[in-house]
Amino acid sequence: VEGIEQLIQTCSPEDQETMLRNIFVAGGGSRIKGIDRYIADSLKGYGEVGVSCVPDPDFAMCVGALKLASELPPPYWEQLGGITDY
């Protein structure tokens, strides 16, 4: 919760509301029962808060990484030492 508060405080005030309504918990922590409610309750002083846990924490990061990678222009793949025959 402290990390989320610090992140929110670094954002412009007009973006904070959007950020607070779109918090997603991923990874092992998302398996803790009630973690979404705990975070939402802890941040309610900031306004309306929406917290969701990803449905499949084992693969959620993989899906995000694949989405990011699929949008990378070819020169970035060369910098990573990846496949250059695409």
Side-chain angles (χ1 to χ4, degrees):
V1 173
E2 291 173 5
I4 296 170
E5 288 177 325
Q6 289 175 354
L7 183 61
I8 291 167
Q9 292 168 3
T10 63
C11 293
S12 62
E14 57 269 6
D15 293 330
Q16 290 178 359
E17 184 179 336
T18 302
M19 183 179 256
L20 283 166
R21 287 183 295 168
N22 295 287
I23 298 172
F24 292 89
V25 183
S30 66
R31 292 183 177 165
I32 300 171
K33 283 191 176 218
I35 191 72
D36 51 346
R37 289 186 306 276
Y38 174 78
I39 293 170
D41 289 345
S42 298
L43 298 173
K44 66 183 174 186
Y46 288 95
E48 185 181 341
V49 180
V51 182
S52 301
C53 291
V54 296
D56 190 351
D58 291 328
F59 294 101
M61 244 202 275
C62 297
V63 171
L66 179 60
K67 183 175 173 77
L68 177 64
S70 67
E71 296 174 5
L72 280 177
Y76 288 103
W77 282 101
E78 293 168 5
Q79 290 176 3
L80 295 172
I83 300 170
T84 56
D85 184 22
Y86 29 83

